[in-house]
Each structure stands twice: as structure tokens, then as C-alpha cells.
Amino acid sequence: STAELLALETRVLQQCHDGLDAGAPATTQSSLFQALDARPSMSEEQRAAVGAIVMSGNSVDVVIAGPGTGKTFSLDAAKEAWQRSGHRVIGCALSAAAAHQLQSGSGIPSTTIAMLDIDLRRRHEWFDANTVIVVDEAGMVGTRAIAPLIDQATIAGAKVVLVGDTKQLPEIDAGGLLRALERQHPIVTLTENRRQ
């Protein structure tokens, strides 16, 4: 660890804490119910998880989802609920393959975190108070890569949803943000294996 990285981690964790009930993009109950009603096969756990993230005004929400728990199916429902309430939903992941999987599984337009960062700096992409950013496989993203995204979203009043599994592959770069948030931040979990 370095003093710079510790300071960055502390700042990002504080941003997430300060963003609780901050009025970030949330959906209406009717939009949520319409999205859930269109998916009668959803489990109660999935329905509760979708409701928790789309109704919350937190600037950062954390979803801890194990393999096979229907994460992508749940995100598809969440995307519909947000869009029905007039919000724009975009997705990103560390790798292009993960971003493609998120997009094909949930219908959320997705790219890599690096490309999104470039687009933000070149002003080809923008966040505002109606934007929801879904970060898939967030447990694999280094702190230095995720911090600018959270910074931009916080400034714009957007919402970030970090989705991942702390028991899967760890970050390549220095990280641990998702594990820290799992211990210190309200989280939503998906544990029931729907794949078997």
C-alpha cells in the first residue's frame, strides 16, 4: 500500500457513505411493478434485490451476487424500471468480454471502464442526474480505475451500481473497494443458485 492509495480508498469510501439517501436516480413504484410483472419467473430474492436498487436514492448501491444467481436477469428488470421512470442506463466492466456479456444479457448498452473513462474525458459521454451506471464484475476493478467513475457520477448527481462477487477472481491492480463496501455499506445480495 501507498499513502496515495490509502487516501484514495478512504475518499471513495467516504463518498459512498455520504451518498446514502442522496436523492440519486430512483424509479417509481408503478415502473418497478411493471418491470417485475413482465418477468413472472423471478424469485422473491431477485424481486427484492431489484426493488432495493431501483427505489434507493443512494448514489452508490452494491450488489453482491454469486455465480448462477440470476444477476443479469435481475439487471434487465432494473434497467426496464429505471427507463420507465425516464432514466438513462449505461453499463461497463473491466474487460470487453464482460461488457459484451452484460449488454447481451441485460440489454444495458455497455463498454469497458477504460473506454468509458476516455469518452468522459473527451466529452463523448456524459453523466447527469438521470444517469444510472452499472459496473459489472466490480470486484475485479482496481481502486484507481473505479474512483474517477464514482467521482464523475457524484459530481453529476448520477447513480452507480457496483455488481460483483467478492469470492471470485480478485483485482489485478490494487483494489479491495468492493470488499470494503461489503463490510461498511448497505448491500443487496443474490445467493440462490438459479442456474441448477
mmCIF file of all heavy atoms in Angstrom, residues 143-182:
data_model
loop_
_atom_site.group_PDB
_atom_site.id
_atom_site.type_symbol
_atom_site.label_atom_id
_atom_site.label_comp_id
_atom_site.label_asym_id
_atom_site.label_seq_id
_atom_site.Cartn_x
_atom_site.Cartn_y
_atom_site.Cartn_z
ATOM 1 N N THR A 143 -8.973 0.032 -7.572
ATOM 2 C CA THR A 143 -9.494 1.266 -6.981
ATOM 3 C C THR A 143 -9.196 2.481 -7.852
ATOM 4 O O THR A 143 -10.042 3.359 -8.026
ATOM 5 C CB THR A 143 -8.899 1.475 -5.575
ATOM 6 O OG1 THR A 143 -9.202 0.314 -4.786
ATOM 7 C CG2 THR A 143 -9.477 2.708 -4.901
ATOM 8 N N ARG A 144 -7.998 2.536 -8.427
ATOM 9 C CA ARG A 144 -7.643 3.691 -9.257
ATOM 10 C C ARG A 144 -8.495 3.767 -10.525
ATOM 11 O O ARG A 144 -8.661 4.842 -11.093
ATOM 12 C CB ARG A 144 -6.164 3.642 -9.624
ATOM 13 C CG ARG A 144 -5.229 3.931 -8.455
ATOM 14 C CD ARG A 144 -3.775 3.961 -8.902
ATOM 15 N NE ARG A 144 -2.869 4.203 -7.784
ATOM 16 C CZ ARG A 144 -2.270 3.238 -7.089
ATOM 17 N NH1 ARG A 144 -2.485 1.961 -7.404
ATOM 18 N NH2 ARG A 144 -1.463 3.530 -6.098
ATOM 19 N N ALA A 145 -9.012 2.638 -10.978
ATOM 20 C CA ALA A 145 -9.856 2.633 -12.179
ATOM 21 C C ALA A 145 -11.288 3.032 -11.868
ATOM 22 O O ALA A 145 -11.947 3.697 -12.672
ATOM 23 C CB ALA A 145 -9.824 1.251 -12.834
ATOM 24 N N ILE A 146 -11.786 2.625 -10.699
ATOM 25 C CA ILE A 146 -13.194 2.883 -10.373
ATOM 26 C C ILE A 146 -13.397 4.266 -9.755
ATOM 27 O O ILE A 146 -14.463 4.869 -9.889
ATOM 28 C CB ILE A 146 -13.752 1.778 -9.433
ATOM 29 C CG1 ILE A 146 -15.280 1.780 -9.430
ATOM 30 C CG2 ILE A 146 -13.242 1.924 -8.015
ATOM 31 C CD1 ILE A 146 -15.900 1.257 -10.675
ATOM 32 N N ALA A 147 -12.366 4.812 -9.095
ATOM 33 C CA ALA A 147 -12.520 6.099 -8.399
ATOM 34 C C ALA A 147 -12.938 7.241 -9.324
ATOM 35 O O ALA A 147 -13.860 7.996 -8.970
ATOM 36 C CB ALA A 147 -11.234 6.448 -7.651
ATOM 37 N N PRO A 148 -12.329 7.415 -10.509
ATOM 38 C CA PRO A 148 -12.766 8.523 -11.374
ATOM 39 C C PRO A 148 -14.213 8.405 -11.819
ATOM 40 O O PRO A 148 -14.910 9.411 -11.967
ATOM 41 C CB PRO A 148 -11.818 8.431 -12.586
ATOM 42 C CG PRO A 148 -10.653 7.647 -12.120
ATOM 43 C CD PRO A 148 -11.178 6.709 -11.084
ATOM 44 N N LEU A 149 -14.675 7.172 -12.012
ATOM 45 C CA LEU A 149 -16.069 6.945 -12.408
ATOM 46 C C LEU A 149 -17.020 7.390 -11.299
ATOM 47 O O LEU A 149 -18.014 8.073 -11.549
ATOM 48 C CB LEU A 149 -16.259 5.462 -12.727
ATOM 49 C CG LEU A 149 -17.515 5.045 -13.455
ATOM 50 C CD1 LEU A 149 -17.530 5.607 -14.865
ATOM 51 C CD2 LEU A 149 -17.589 3.530 -13.503
ATOM 52 N N ILE A 150 -16.699 7.010 -10.071
ATOM 53 C CA ILE A 150 -17.528 7.410 -8.923
ATOM 54 C C ILE A 150 -17.457 8.926 -8.729
ATOM 55 O O ILE A 150 -18.468 9.571 -8.421
ATOM 56 C CB ILE A 150 -17.118 6.636 -7.658
ATOM 57 C CG1 ILE A 150 -17.464 5.143 -7.833
ATOM 58 C CG2 ILE A 150 -17.795 7.200 -6.416
ATOM 59 C CD1 ILE A 150 -17.003 4.250 -6.704
ATOM 60 N N ASP A 151 -16.268 9.511 -8.945
ATOM 61 C CA ASP A 151 -16.125 10.973 -8.858
ATOM 62 C C ASP A 151 -17.065 11.675 -9.839
ATOM 63 O O ASP A 151 -17.815 12.577 -9.456
ATOM 64 C CB ASP A 151 -14.685 11.397 -9.181
ATOM 65 C CG ASP A 151 -13.720 11.155 -8.039
ATOM 66 O OD1 ASP A 151 -14.179 10.979 -6.899
ATOM 67 O OD2 ASP A 151 -12.503 11.142 -8.297
ATOM 68 N N GLN A 152 -17.001 11.255 -11.111
ATOM 69 C CA GLN A 152 -17.822 11.887 -12.146
ATOM 70 C C GLN A 152 -19.309 11.734 -11.836
ATOM 71 O O GLN A 152 -20.092 12.666 -12.012
ATOM 72 C CB GLN A 152 -17.521 11.256 -13.516
ATOM 73 C CG GLN A 152 -16.145 11.558 -14.046
ATOM 74 C CD GLN A 152 -16.099 12.883 -14.783
ATOM 75 O OE1 GLN A 152 -17.108 13.551 -14.955
ATOM 76 N NE2 GLN A 152 -14.920 13.270 -15.216
ATOM 77 N N ALA A 153 -19.696 10.546 -11.397
ATOM 78 C CA ALA A 153 -21.104 10.297 -11.087
ATOM 79 C C ALA A 153 -21.567 11.141 -9.906
ATOM 80 O O ALA A 153 -22.667 11.709 -9.916
ATOM 81 C CB ALA A 153 -21.324 8.814 -10.802
ATOM 82 N N THR A 154 -20.728 11.247 -8.879
ATOM 83 C CA THR A 154 -21.076 12.031 -7.690
ATOM 84 C C THR A 154 -21.272 13.497 -8.049
ATOM 85 O O THR A 154 -22.239 14.132 -7.622
ATOM 86 C CB THR A 154 -19.984 11.877 -6.611
ATOM 87 O OG1 THR A 154 -19.867 10.492 -6.268
ATOM 88 C CG2 THR A 154 -20.326 12.676 -5.369
ATOM 89 N N ILE A 155 -20.360 14.032 -8.844
ATOM 90 C CA ILE A 155 -20.453 15.436 -9.260
ATOM 91 C C ILE A 155 -21.740 15.692 -10.037
ATOM 92 O O ILE A 155 -22.406 16.713 -9.867
ATOM 93 C CB ILE A 155 -19.218 15.825 -10.110
ATOM 94 C CG1 ILE A 155 -17.968 15.857 -9.241
ATOM 95 C CG2 ILE A 155 -19.422 17.170 -10.804
ATOM 96 C CD1 ILE A 155 -16.666 15.886 -10.028
ATOM 97 N N ALA A 156 -22.112 14.727 -10.890
ATOM 98 C CA ALA A 156 -23.284 14.902 -11.760
ATOM 99 C C ALA A 156 -24.602 14.561 -11.077
ATOM 100 O O ALA A 156 -25.665 14.826 -11.624
ATOM 101 C CB ALA A 156 -23.116 14.034 -13.008
ATOM 102 N N GLY A 157 -24.544 13.945 -9.890
ATOM 103 C CA GLY A 157 -25.771 13.504 -9.229
ATOM 104 C C GLY A 157 -26.315 12.211 -9.799
ATOM 105 O O GLY A 157 -27.488 11.888 -9.636
ATOM 106 N N ALA A 158 -25.455 11.451 -10.486
ATOM 107 C CA ALA A 158 -25.855 10.172 -11.077
ATOM 108 C C ALA A 158 -25.775 9.062 -10.038
ATOM 109 O O ALA A 158 -25.329 9.278 -8.908
ATOM 110 C CB ALA A 158 -24.954 9.852 -12.268
ATOM 111 N N LYS A 159 -26.199 7.877 -10.436
ATOM 112 C CA LYS A 159 -26.187 6.714 -9.554
ATOM 113 C C LYS A 159 -25.231 5.673 -10.120
ATOM 114 O O LYS A 159 -25.208 5.439 -11.328
ATOM 115 C CB LYS A 159 -27.589 6.122 -9.458
ATOM 116 C CG LYS A 159 -27.714 4.895 -8.552
ATOM 117 C CD LYS A 159 -29.128 4.336 -8.624
ATOM 118 C CE LYS A 159 -29.367 3.263 -7.588
ATOM 119 N NZ LYS A 159 -29.509 3.812 -6.243
ATOM 120 N N VAL A 160 -24.448 5.039 -9.251
ATOM 121 C CA VAL A 160 -23.562 3.947 -9.639
ATOM 122 C C VAL A 160 -24.012 2.688 -8.916
ATOM 123 O O VAL A 160 -24.242 2.706 -7.703
ATOM 124 C CB VAL A 160 -22.091 4.255 -9.278
ATOM 125 C CG1 VAL A 160 -21.186 3.068 -9.618
ATOM 126 C CG2 VAL A 160 -21.610 5.510 -9.982
ATOM 127 N N VAL A 161 -24.143 1.596 -9.669
ATOM 128 C CA VAL A 161 -24.474 0.297 -9.078
ATOM 129 C C VAL A 161 -23.282 -0.623 -9.314
ATOM 130 O O VAL A 161 -22.966 -0.964 -10.456
ATOM 131 C CB VAL A 161 -25.757 -0.306 -9.692
ATOM 132 C CG1 VAL A 161 -26.073 -1.643 -9.040
ATOM 133 C CG2 VAL A 161 -26.932 0.656 -9.534
ATOM 134 N N LEU A 162 -22.604 -0.981 -8.240
ATOM 135 C CA LEU A 162 -21.456 -1.883 -8.308
ATOM 136 C C LEU A 162 -21.952 -3.308 -8.101
ATOM 137 O O LEU A 162 -22.532 -3.621 -7.060
ATOM 138 C CB LEU A 162 -20.423 -1.530 -7.236
ATOM 139 C CG LEU A 162 -19.853 -0.108 -7.278
ATOM 140 C CD1 LEU A 162 -18.940 0.132 -6.080
ATOM 141 C CD2 LEU A 162 -19.104 0.130 -8.575
ATOM 142 N N VAL A 163 -21.732 -4.161 -9.094
ATOM 143 C CA VAL A 163 -22.226 -5.535 -9.047
ATOM 144 C C VAL A 163 -21.031 -6.474 -9.123
ATOM 145 O O VAL A 163 -20.169 -6.320 -10.009
ATOM 146 C CB VAL A 163 -23.178 -5.827 -10.231
ATOM 147 C CG1 VAL A 163 -23.765 -7.222 -10.107
ATOM 148 C CG2 VAL A 163 -24.283 -4.783 -10.305
ATOM 149 N N GLY A 164 -20.951 -7.417 -8.210
ATOM 150 C CA GLY A 164 -19.830 -8.345 -8.259
ATOM 151 C C GLY A 164 -19.929 -9.409 -7.190
ATOM 152 O O GLY A 164 -20.923 -9.515 -6.469
ATOM 153 N N ASP A 165 -18.861 -10.191 -7.128
ATOM 154 C CA ASP A 165 -18.779 -11.290 -6.165
ATOM 155 C C ASP A 165 -17.388 -11.243 -5.556
ATOM 156 O O ASP A 165 -16.392 -11.428 -6.263
ATOM 157 C CB ASP A 165 -19.016 -12.624 -6.889
ATOM 158 C CG ASP A 165 -18.999 -13.815 -5.942
ATOM 159 O OD1 ASP A 165 -18.839 -13.606 -4.720
ATOM 160 O OD2 ASP A 165 -19.131 -14.948 -6.423
ATOM 161 N N THR A 166 -17.316 -10.985 -4.260
ATOM 162 C CA THR A 166 -16.018 -10.862 -3.594
ATOM 163 C C THR A 166 -15.315 -12.206 -3.442
ATOM 164 O O THR A 166 -14.157 -12.251 -3.038
ATOM 165 C CB THR A 166 -16.184 -10.210 -2.210
ATOM 166 O OG1 THR A 166 -17.153 -10.950 -1.457
ATOM 167 C CG2 THR A 166 -16.642 -8.762 -2.343
ATOM 168 N N LYS A 167 -16.004 -13.306 -3.764
ATOM 169 C CA LYS A 167 -15.384 -14.631 -3.642
ATOM 170 C C LYS A 167 -14.813 -15.125 -4.969
ATOM 171 O O LYS A 167 -14.270 -16.220 -5.036
ATOM 172 C CB LYS A 167 -16.406 -15.634 -3.112
ATOM 173 C CG LYS A 167 -16.887 -15.335 -1.693
ATOM 174 C CD LYS A 167 -17.818 -16.419 -1.205
ATOM 175 C CE LYS A 167 -18.257 -16.151 0.222
ATOM 176 N NZ LYS A 167 -19.239 -15.065 0.289
ATOM 177 N N GLN A 168 -14.985 -14.330 -6.039
ATOM 178 C CA GLN A 168 -14.437 -14.741 -7.328
ATOM 179 C C GLN A 168 -13.056 -14.125 -7.530
ATOM 180 O O GLN A 168 -12.414 -13.704 -6.579
ATOM 181 C CB GLN A 168 -15.402 -14.353 -8.452
ATOM 182 C CG GLN A 168 -16.633 -15.253 -8.470
ATOM 183 C CD GLN A 168 -17.507 -15.031 -9.687
ATOM 184 O OE1 GLN A 168 -18.052 -13.959 -9.871
ATOM 185 N NE2 GLN A 168 -17.638 -16.057 -10.502
ATOM 186 N N LEU A 169 -12.596 -14.055 -8.766
ATOM 187 C CA LEU A 169 -11.249 -13.551 -9.038
ATOM 188 C C LEU A 169 -11.063 -12.151 -8.462
ATOM 189 O O LEU A 169 -11.931 -11.297 -8.622
ATOM 190 C CB LEU A 169 -11.005 -13.509 -10.552
ATOM 191 C CG LEU A 169 -10.874 -14.853 -11.257
ATOM 192 C CD1 LEU A 169 -10.848 -14.647 -12.758
ATOM 193 C CD2 LEU A 169 -9.628 -15.586 -10.796
ATOM 194 N N PRO A 170 -9.926 -11.901 -7.815
ATOM 195 C CA PRO A 170 -9.675 -10.562 -7.265
ATOM 196 C C PRO A 170 -9.175 -9.609 -8.341
ATOM 197 O O PRO A 170 -8.942 -9.989 -9.482
ATOM 198 C CB PRO A 170 -8.585 -10.824 -6.221
ATOM 199 C CG PRO A 170 -7.827 -11.985 -6.781
ATOM 200 C CD PRO A 170 -8.854 -12.838 -7.496
ATOM 201 N N GLU A 171 -8.958 -8.367 -7.936
ATOM 202 C CA GLU A 171 -8.461 -7.338 -8.842
ATOM 203 C C GLU A 171 -7.035 -7.669 -9.284
ATOM 204 O O GLU A 171 -6.259 -8.246 -8.535
ATOM 205 C CB GLU A 171 -8.443 -5.971 -8.150
ATOM 206 C CG GLU A 171 -9.754 -5.556 -7.539
ATOM 207 C CD GLU A 171 -9.961 -6.097 -6.135
ATOM 208 O OE1 GLU A 171 -9.208 -6.986 -5.676
ATOM 209 O OE2 GLU A 171 -10.892 -5.617 -5.486
ATOM 210 N N ILE A 172 -6.703 -7.270 -10.512
ATOM 211 C CA ILE A 172 -5.319 -7.368 -10.970
ATOM 212 C C ILE A 172 -4.537 -6.200 -10.383
ATOM 213 O O ILE A 172 -3.455 -6.368 -9.831
ATOM 214 C CB ILE A 172 -5.255 -7.345 -12.513
ATOM 215 C CG1 ILE A 172 -5.978 -8.573 -13.068
ATOM 216 C CG2 ILE A 172 -3.812 -7.302 -13.000
ATOM 217 C CD1 ILE A 172 -6.242 -8.526 -14.550
ATOM 218 N N ASP A 173 -5.108 -4.998 -10.497
ATOM 219 C CA ASP A 173 -4.499 -3.810 -9.895
ATOM 220 C C ASP A 173 -4.897 -3.735 -8.421
ATOM 221 O O ASP A 173 -5.791 -4.452 -7.975
ATOM 222 C CB ASP A 173 -4.982 -2.546 -10.617
ATOM 223 C CG ASP A 173 -4.507 -2.505 -12.056
ATOM 224 O OD1 ASP A 173 -3.372 -2.943 -12.309
ATOM 225 O OD2 ASP A 173 -5.274 -2.037 -12.920
ATOM 226 N N ALA A 174 -4.226 -2.851 -7.682
ATOM 227 C CA ALA A 174 -4.543 -2.685 -6.263
ATOM 228 C C ALA A 174 -6.012 -2.320 -6.107
ATOM 229 O O ALA A 174 -6.518 -1.421 -6.770
ATOM 230 C CB ALA A 174 -3.659 -1.593 -5.662
ATOM 231 N N GLY A 175 -6.703 -3.064 -5.251
ATOM 232 C CA GLY A 175 -8.136 -2.833 -5.109
ATOM 233 C C GLY A 175 -8.641 -3.201 -3.740
ATOM 234 O O GLY A 175 -7.979 -2.978 -2.741
ATOM 235 N N GLY A 176 -9.828 -3.778 -3.715
ATOM 236 C CA GLY A 176 -10.450 -4.143 -2.449
ATOM 237 C C GLY A 176 -11.639 -3.281 -2.104
ATOM 238 O O GLY A 176 -12.223 -3.428 -1.031
ATOM 239 N N LEU A 177 -12.020 -2.370 -3.017
ATOM 240 C CA LEU A 177 -13.121 -1.453 -2.727
ATOM 241 C C LEU A 177 -14.429 -2.201 -2.508
ATOM 242 O O LEU A 177 -15.163 -1.915 -1.563
ATOM 243 C CB LEU A 177 -13.277 -0.428 -3.847
ATOM 244 C CG LEU A 177 -14.396 0.596 -3.665
ATOM 245 C CD1 LEU A 177 -14.122 1.483 -2.448
ATOM 246 C CD2 LEU A 177 -14.561 1.452 -4.908
ATOM 247 N N LEU A 178 -14.730 -3.185 -3.370
ATOM 248 C CA LEU A 178 -15.991 -3.916 -3.222
ATOM 249 C C LEU A 178 -16.033 -4.668 -1.899
ATOM 250 O O LEU A 178 -17.061 -4.681 -1.214
ATOM 251 C CB LEU A 178 -16.206 -4.873 -4.401
ATOM 252 C CG LEU A 178 -17.618 -5.465 -4.490
ATOM 253 C CD1 LEU A 178 -18.641 -4.397 -4.873
ATOM 254 C CD2 LEU A 178 -17.665 -6.607 -5.507
ATOM 255 N N ARG A 179 -14.920 -5.283 -1.505
ATOM 256 C CA ARG A 179 -14.871 -5.989 -0.218
ATOM 257 C C ARG A 179 -15.058 -5.014 0.942
ATOM 258 O O ARG A 179 -15.738 -5.326 1.921
ATOM 259 C CB ARG A 179 -13.548 -6.747 -0.079
ATOM 260 C CG ARG A 179 -13.481 -8.010 -0.900
ATOM 261 C CD ARG A 179 -12.247 -8.854 -0.600
ATOM 262 N NE ARG A 179 -10.995 -8.143 -0.839
ATOM 263 C CZ ARG A 179 -10.434 -7.993 -2.030
ATOM 264 N NH1 ARG A 179 -11.028 -8.496 -3.101
ATOM 265 N NH2 ARG A 179 -9.298 -7.348 -2.164
ATOM 266 N N ALA A 180 -14.446 -3.839 0.842
ATOM 267 C CA ALA A 180 -14.605 -2.842 1.903
ATOM 268 C C ALA A 180 -16.051 -2.374 1.990
ATOM 269 O O ALA A 180 -16.607 -2.233 3.086
ATOM 270 C CB ALA A 180 -13.664 -1.654 1.658
ATOM 271 N N LEU A 181 -16.677 -2.142 0.826
ATOM 272 C CA LEU A 181 -18.079 -1.716 0.824
ATOM 273 C C LEU A 181 -18.984 -2.819 1.348
ATOM 274 O O LEU A 181 -19.986 -2.539 2.015
ATOM 275 C CB LEU A 181 -18.496 -1.301 -0.589
ATOM 276 C CG LEU A 181 -17.936 0.040 -1.076
ATOM 277 C CD1 LEU A 181 -18.220 0.226 -2.558
ATOM 278 C CD2 LEU A 181 -18.510 1.194 -0.268
ATOM 279 N N GLU A 182 -18.646 -4.066 1.069
ATOM 280 C CA GLU A 182 -19.447 -5.181 1.577
ATOM 281 C C GLU A 182 -19.482 -5.174 3.104
ATOM 282 O O GLU A 182 -20.487 -5.518 3.715
ATOM 283 C CB GLU A 182 -18.866 -6.507 1.068
ATOM 284 C CG GLU A 182 -19.691 -7.721 1.439
ATOM 285 C CD GLU A 182 -19.077 -9.015 0.933
ATOM 286 O OE1 GLU A 182 -17.853 -9.070 0.709
ATOM 287 O OE2 GLU A 182 -19.829 -9.986 0.764
#
